[in-house]
Amino acid sequence: MKIFAYEVRKDEIEDFKRLEEKYNVEITLSNEVPSLDNVNMLEGYTAVTILGQGRIDQELLEAMKNIGIQYLTTRTIGTNHIDLEYAKQIGIQVNNASYAPNGVADYTIMLMLLVLRNYKPALWRGQVYDYSLQGLQGKELRSLTIGIIGTGRIGLKVIENLSGFGCKIYAYDPYENPAVSKYATYVSLETIYKECDIISLHTPLTKENYHMINKDTIHKMKDGVILINCARGELMAIDDLIDGIESCKIGGLGLDTVESEEGIIHLDRRLDILTNRQIAYLRQFPNVVMTQHMAFYTKEAVASMVECGIKGILDMN
Ligand code: NAD
């Protein structure tokens, strides 16, 4: 079978080569992001694997279908960059990746602690030999109530990790997971907003929860609340986050994902004129830690993502 792999990063190449032998398939590697401009490269292939940089919309799916693509895998857990309904409608089968939730869960705890202990301004000071303490006093997790929204694979692992810190943990998910009750108490979303010192999102992005963190929900939260997003950027309305930081309603943000990050994340844009004012403005605050959607990025997870990208195609075949 001939498979076309888009968006291949250097660190994936070794795994792709290994899988070519393991599954006896022919894989063409490209670092291009799928688009109408390069879809003709799929001529002669029935299967394609992608990452999450490009929008796989109706037009692109149509073009893929016309060229002969039957199977599409995304080497990501999230699938919101693909119009799944349309893919199904036109008969392109789609599969996504899975990997252990530990990497993202570890990272979530790291962001909580970085924000809670004022690491960003401490880092800035250290770089100019300012070793003063003033303004850097933090808080201990054991004194806080943490709210976890979404208790699937990653949310549960975050809760397990947090249980070692001795904090009170509240959780919300429309589908309760019995494994959670050992460490956390399920409560309503309203209670999470009202009572938690740190709120961390671990839900997929859907039409229903787009901008679930917005000026109204932020208004319900405790003054100085810390918000963490290692899930999907569009779960939080970026303009309302900015207002929340400016008004000091929000005490800190740990964002691995942010609204409108496509076209910026995972790319070297140092010499470009970036037009996304909100991201540039939000990232300069001392209490906002922003990273380039890299919570997933561990050696273990990448090997698993590449494996899913190829095996997922063979499973559908
Ligand atoms: P999962 O499917 O295992 O769990 C998601 C949970 O969210 C489910 O239990 C579901 O019932 C719940 N949920 C859905 N809508 C909800 C809502 N409105 N309110 C509360 N709960 C809701 O998914 P996962 O593997 O744990 O991934 C969680 C998120 O993390 C996804 O958005 C995924 O794309 C993202 N993610 C980010 C990175 C990264 O690098 N930053 C890496 C992997 C996954």
Side-chain angles (χ1 to χ4, degrees), residues 215 238-250 282:
K215 63 176 185 317
I238 192 165
D239 286 328
D240 297 343
L241 294 182
I242 291 171
D243 289 345
I245 289 286
E246 284 182 339
S247 67
C248 298
K249 174 73 184 175
I250 296 176
L282 188 58

Side-chain angles (χ1 to χ4, degrees), residues 82-317:
I82 307 171
D83 188 333
L84 290 178
E85 230 166 83
Y86 193 70
K88 193 173 174 193
Q89 205 177 308
I90 64 171
I92 294 185
Q93 292 187 56
V94 181
N95 221 330
N96 60 338
S98 70
Y99 45 89
N102 303 57
V104 181
D106 292 357
Y107 202 91
T108 303
I109 306 292
M110 179 189 79
L111 283 184
M112 286 180 187
L113 288 169
L114 286 179
V115 178
L116 205 54
R117 303 304 297 269
N118 294 305
Y119 184 66
K120 187 173 171 184
L123 181 72
W124 284 348
R125 285 186 201 185
Q127 283 166 347
V128 293
Y129 307 102
D130 173 356
Y131 301 115
S132 63
L133 286 176
Q134 204 212 341
L136 298 183
Q137 192 175 56
K139 285 182 186 158
E140 296 176 23
L141 275 173
R142 70 183 165 110
S143 320
L144 305 180
T145 303
I146 320 287
I148 302 299
I149 302 181
T151 56
R153 296 173 75 242
I154 294 171
L156 171 62
K157 187 51 77 182
V158 170
I159 289 171
E160 284 173 6
N161 287 352
L162 277 175
S163 68
F165 287 93
C167 43
K168 187 192 259 188
I169 311 171
Y170 283 161
Y172 171 77
D173 193 308
Y175 303 97
E176 298 192 1
N177 178 348
V180 165
S181 42
K182 189 168 166 202
Y183 310 105
T185 312
Y186 275 109
V187 294
S188 66
L189 256 187
E190 294 301 309
T191 305
I192 292 216
Y193 292 149
K194 202 167 136 222
E195 293 189 21
C196 290
D197 303 287
I198 300 179
I199 298 174
S200 188
L201 299 190
H202 299 284
T203 74
L205 175 66
T206 62
K207 274 186 206 142
E208 292 71 38
N209 64 17
Y210 172 83
H211 282 184
M212 71 181 288
I213 302 301
N214 57 47
K215 63 176 185 317
D216 297 330
T217 48
I218 292 169
H219 180 71
K220 295 177 184 173
M221 294 175 191
K222 281 175 97 163
D223 290 344
V225 65
I226 290 173
L227 301 178
I228 307 292
N229 191 356
C230 280
R232 282 293 175 265
E234 278 73 10
L235 293 168
M236 296 184 166
I238 192 165
D239 286 328
D240 297 343
L241 294 182
I242 291 171
D243 289 345
I245 289 286
E246 284 182 339
S247 67
C248 298
K249 174 73 184 175
I250 296 176
L253 292 169
L255 306 175
D256 184 49
T257 57
V258 69
E259 185 168 15
S260 310
E261 66 184 11
E262 279 161 29
I264 297 180
I265 50 143
H266 304 170
L267 300 171
D268 180 352
R269 303 288 312 265
R270 271 179 292 186
L271 300 178
D272 300 336
I273 303 295
L274 296 179
T275 54
N276 193 312
R277 297 176 189 189
Q278 291 111 316
I279 291 181
Y281 184 60
L282 188 58
R283 73 171 314 120
Q284 49 81 34
F285 290 106
N287 54 351
V288 177
V289 175
M290 271 169 72
T291 56
Q292 53 267 50
H293 201 143
M294 57 178 278
F296 72 97
Y297 195 47
T298 64
K299 194 169 172 39
E300 295 87 339
V302 168
S304 178
M305 290 161 91
V306 176
E307 173 100 27
C308 289
I310 301 305
K311 191 167 176 301
I313 288 169
L314 300 176
D315 287 346
M316 291 187 286
N317 187 11

